Amino acid sequence: MPIIKIEMLEGRDRATKQELVKSMTTEMARITGCSEASVYVVINNVAKEDWGIGGELAATKFPD
Amino acid sequence: MPIIKIEMLEGRDRATKQELVKSMTTEMARITGCSEASVYVVINNVAKEDWGIGGELAATKFPD
Amino acid sequence: MPIIKIEMLEGRDRATKQELVKSMTTEMARITGCSEASVYVVINNVAKEDWGIGGELAATKFPD
Amino acid sequence: MPIIKIEMLEGRDRATKQELVKSMTTEMARITGCSEASVYVVINNVAKEDWGIGGELAATKFPD
Amino acid sequence: MPIIKIEMLEGRDRATKQELVKSMTTEMARITGCSEASVYVVINNVAKEDWGIGGELAATKFPD
Amino acid sequence: MPIIKIEMLEGRDRATKQELVKSMTTEMARITGCSEASVYVVINNVAKEDWGIGGELAATKFPD
């Protein structure tokens, strides 16, 4: 029944997201004993100009 | 004063969103006694490749 | 498959929460066509000193 | 170590976001005593048709 | 830099949380290539009367 | 109309929260041009055993 919300910088491809979802779900079920079927994962792909670290935009700190 | 955050698969049209917002707000006010004017609803339209269920992407599980 | 997250001031009893969960789920399913079984609702009961409106704590604005 | 999540209507430019991130981070560090480097800010730019106030979409209430 | 937010039913002990945090962080870093040091995990322990599934409270569906 | 959600370690007193809410709201209104009255701030006070950094619980990394 757990919900896992991932916020990360945008740009990951579908295969990476699939691997993330699979891994997080398997680990959650293994560690907490919940069923894998009940786990929801939602990914939020954040643009670099929408993420701040230490007061600076990631767009400035990590230019492409 | 409540905030209702809805995460759902993308693709709903504006009329559907309007109906959701209206219904959630009316029900919230009726059940909790808050004013309708104070209710915020925020919808997050999630792409199928950003939603995992049971360890699989919705994009794989429910292809278009 | 939708997730509905409700943030509201703490203090509602279990019957009220049950009514909220039932109503939000039924309406979500009716309006979007998803199954009721797939809807998750998570309630966050926020203390008055953890909610700000217009720059003031709800604890100050709405004392008990 | 705090995380600040901002939900606001879309349309703000990068300079405004930079100013928001800088200001929120500085104020958070000043008031709580945490280091600026540890503060994450994530901005969610919400479309007007995804925001409801008082049961109505912002898209209807505040047309462009 | 990713943020992982976990919502699950309350009642897990500290060792389980430690294992969750370790595993989620390691997997996130392995799969996306980010540094482990940059990963934040926040756990929200939800009471059974604050979680709805299929229109019913977990408190009703899964009594202690 | 913005919503500011703050996740931080628990333990801040009411005066600190009041100052945070005031400052975040004032700055948000000044920078984006929204009204102060429309800004909601919600604080989530996270226990040290519910926060992970770099794969470790804050409870372990920063013992009391």
Side-chain angles (χ1 to χ4, degrees), chain E residues 11-55:
Chain E
R12 269 72 184 221
D13 63 14
R14 184 167 153 172
T16 304
K17 291 173 181 177
Q18 171 58 68
E19 198 179 349
L20 265 178
V21 160
K22 181 64 188 158
S23 167
M24 300 279 141
T25 303
T26 308
E27 286 298 281
M28 178 62 70
R30 182 183 64 79
I31 295 168
T32 68
C34 71
S35 77
E36 289 199 15
S38 71
V39 180
Y40 281 8
V41 181
V42 177
I43 298 172
N44 183 18
N45 306 285
V46 181
K48 279 187 177 177
E49 74 167 58
D50 291 320
W51 197 300
I53 319 169

Side-chain angles (χ1 to χ4, degrees), chain A:
Chain A
M1 214 162 72
I3 299 165
I4 303 173
K5 182 89 180 282
I6 298 172
E7 318 244 17
M8 61 182 185
L9 287 183
E10 66 184 2
R12 269 72 184 222
D13 63 15
R14 184 167 153 174
T16 304
K17 291 174 181 177
Q18 172 57 69
E19 197 179 349
L20 264 179
V21 160
K22 181 63 188 161
S23 167
M24 301 278 143
T25 302
T26 307
E27 287 298 281
M28 177 62 71
R30 182 181 66 78
I31 294 168
T32 68
C34 72
S35 78
E36 289 199 15
S38 72
V39 180
Y40 281 7
V41 181
V42 176
I43 298 171
N44 183 19
N45 305 285
V46 181
K48 279 186 178 178
E49 74 167 55
D50 291 320
W51 197 301
I53 319 170
E56 214 175 343
L57 295 182
T60 309
K61 206 159 179 154
F62 312 115
D64 292 323

